[in-house]
Amino acid sequence: MNKIFTFLGKPRTINHQIANRKVSWLELFYDLIFAIVIARLTDSLLENLTITSIGYSVLIFGWFIWGWNEVSGYFDNHGNDSIINVLIINTEMILTGIGSLFISEAIDGEFTRISIVLMLIELLMATVWFGLAYFDHIHGPASRVWGSVHLFSLAIMLITYFIGNVVLVIGLCFGLLLNIFDVVAANPRLAREYDQAEMEHQIKDSMIERYGLMTMIALGEIIAGLYETVNSRITSDTIIRFIICIILIALIAAIYYQVLGTLHIILSSSIATILTGWLFILAIMFSFYMGVTIQMVLRYEGTVRQMMGNLAFVLSLILFLAVIRAIVFIGTETEKQENKKLITGYLIIEGIILVGIAFAPTIWFLSGAVVVLLIMITQGRLLN
């Protein structure tokens, strides 16, 4: 057994933190698979756009991004260039790629095949956490709790798999919620662990960088989707709309990355850390829905769907900005109370303006959104 571990290597222990850790090339390579996931979700949703399919897209996105967040968090605390860690991240990447093949049928309501992949991801993470407990005695108690929660979630999915598709969807929802909030079960052990190792509860800069890269991928997929939409009917009007949309996405990215460089997130507990991490994930999700809805705006111009696209894009953008504002409150130096109220008031006013211009013709709606975002950037609404 020792010879096997000598060959495969061991994960880094929780108390072996690396100051100013840089994201490895392997993590960056792994992140790229999510360009496929987001593209498949966007295309499938636009082909079958209903309230039900939107709900399914949230579930599918949630499962894939949970897997990414789990592996990324593991690597942030335990990553190194050992063979065992290379195998873990590549296995997760392969499973994510296979799962993306079944996204279209899952959006249509058929979860049989994609659920098998999700169960394999669940089993992989349970194995990772139980294996880590063997190597890392400090982190072991919490790791065993996480592994147990994942096995319980896996059991629920297996049972519902053999009952039927409708019950399977319920099982997947319940399993995802268990995975997201597994930190609640492990929190007492994590508190002792952090006291023992004299560590701070924080979202490290390297993890913030990973969230930023994933948001970049989501925003990049918006541009790729816009190109495909405009390419089907190239006219002077569509080119003008395409240019305005590119400027709009660039301004959204500017707001996000302007905020990202100011963050230093120290928190009071593991629960607060996990929940703050999920704020970043919500920003990624709203970026994805901005991509879906802005394509609706261009594809269905002059129809009821285009107006629905306008309103849905505005809603996604407002929620995106609200999440960023929440992250700023958490991750920057304490602001004066009156400034917090003032900035929140500005965001509400700008949100109302965005809703108002959603009823304007397409080019005026897009141009108006650009102007609002320019004002936010120049006056530093999100930062000051």
Side-chain angles (χ1 to χ4, degrees):
M1 184 66 72
N2 287 334
K3 289 183 179 179
I4 294 175
F5 289 149
T6 300
F7 174 72
L8 294 178
K10 300 177 182 179
R12 180 162 48 90
T13 56
I14 191 70
N15 60 328
H16 181 201
Q17 296 298 308
I18 301 174
N20 302 316
R21 188 182 85 86
K22 301 297 182 182
V23 178
S24 69
W25 67 266
L26 185 59
E27 292 169 276
L28 297 176
F29 184 63
Y30 165 58
D31 290 349
L32 292 177
I33 193 67
F34 285 88
I36 298 173
V37 172
I38 292 172
R40 293 278 293 170
L41 272 170
T42 302
D43 293 342
S44 301
L45 194 54
L46 286 169
E47 289 174 8
N48 179 22
L49 193 59
T50 64
I51 297 297
T52 303
S53 65
I54 292 171
Y56 288 154
S57 72
V58 173
L59 177 60
I60 297 164
F61 181 89
W63 265 101
F64 281 117
I65 203 69
W66 165 78
W68 173 84
N69 195 49
E70 197 82 351
V71 171
S72 299
Y74 167 82
F75 257 78
D76 204 47
N77 288 317
H78 308 284
N80 55 26
D81 58 358
S82 63
I83 293 176
I84 194 168
N85 276 341
V86 173
L87 289 174
I88 288 169
I89 199 168
N90 277 283
T91 302
E92 167 68 12
M93 181 168 59
I94 290 169
L95 289 173
T96 300
I98 294 172
S100 68
L101 297 174
F102 308 122
I103 284 176
S104 181
E105 62 189 51
I107 290 291
D108 292 334
E110 178 52 60
F111 280 81
T112 304
R113 292 200 286 186
I114 200 170
S115 65
I116 295 173
V117 179
L118 298 179
M119 283 188 276
L120 290 173
I121 293 174
E122 189 81 79
L123 180 61
L124 170 66
M125 292 317 304
T127 304
V128 166
W129 291 123
F130 278 121
L132 180 66
Y134 178 84
F135 294 109
D136 192 340
H137 299 299
I138 296 177
H139 203 38
S143 297
R144 279 187 285 270
V145 171
W146 287 330
S148 298
V149 171
H150 294 336
L151 287 181
F152 183 62
S153 177
L154 177 60
I156 291 172
M157 288 191 286
L158 276 171
I159 293 168
T160 55
Y161 178 84
F162 292 103
I163 295 176
N165 192 68
V166 174
V167 181
L168 174 58
V169 172
I170 296 172
L172 289 172
C173 292
F174 191 64
L176 179 59
L177 289 174
L178 280 175
N179 290 337
I180 291 173
F181 294 106
D182 60 0
V183 68
V184 176
N187 191 55
R189 302 185 184 198
L190 286 168
R192 290 194 298 271
E193 169 189 314
Y194 274 69
D195 288 341
Q196 180 183 350
E198 297 182 344
M199 295 187 303
E200 290 181 314
H201 295 281
Q202 63 175 315
I203 298 180
K204 301 184 187 75
D205 291 345
S206 54
M207 197 65 198
I208 292 174
E209 183 182 354
R210 294 290 299 284
Y211 288 130
L213 290 169
M214 282 296 288
T215 307
M216 185 184 296
I217 288 172
L219 293 173
E221 282 304 310
I222 296 178
I223 296 174
L226 287 171
Y227 173 81
E228 291 181 6
T229 299
V230 172
N231 193 46
S232 61
R233 49 188 180 91
I234 300 177
T235 65
S236 57
D237 286 343
T238 57
I239 290 173
I240 291 171
R241 286 162 174 73
F242 177 73
I243 293 171
I244 296 173
C245 286
I246 295 296
I247 295 171
L248 183 60
I249 301 307
L251 291 174
I252 293 170
I255 290 172
Y256 182 82
Y257 292 106
Q258 191 178 35
V259 165
L260 214 63
T262 68
L263 299 177
H264 183 62
I265 303 179
I266 305 293
L267 298 155
S268 58
S269 69
S270 296
I271 293 177
T273 303
I274 293 296
L275 293 179
T276 302
W278 275 89
L279 284 177
F280 284 97
I281 289 174
L282 283 175
I284 298 168
M285 186 179 76
F286 292 136
S287 298
F288 156 63
Y289 283 110
M290 281 191 286
V292 173
T293 53
I294 202 169
Q295 287 195 55
M296 287 178 62
V297 172
L298 297 184
R299 285 190 183 192
Y300 304 115
E301 188 170 357
T303 67
V304 174
R305 276 200 167 187
Q306 186 239 320
M307 181 59 63
M308 291 171 57
N310 287 8
L311 291 170
F313 176 79
V314 165
L315 177 61
S316 300
L317 177 56
I318 291 172
L319 290 173
F320 177 83
L321 295 172
V323 167
I324 293 176
R325 184 62 235 166
I327 292 171
V328 170
F329 277 157
I330 294 168
T332 56
E333 295 297 322
T334 303
E335 301 171 89
K336 293 181 180 178
Q337 194 63 33
E338 56 269 26
N339 285 349
K340 289 184 177 182
K341 292 179 180 178
L342 185 63
I343 294 167
T344 302
Y346 280 135
L347 286 174
I348 293 172
I349 292 170
E350 287 156 348
I352 293 171
I353 293 172
L354 285 169
V355 172
I357 62 177
F359 295 93
T362 303
I363 196 161
W364 292 109
F365 163 61
L366 295 173
S367 300
V370 166
V371 171
V372 170
L373 292 180
L374 275 172
I375 292 172
M376 294 179 74
I377 291 173
T378 55
Q379 296 188 0
R381 299 295 193 213
L382 293 170
L383 289 174
N384 299 321

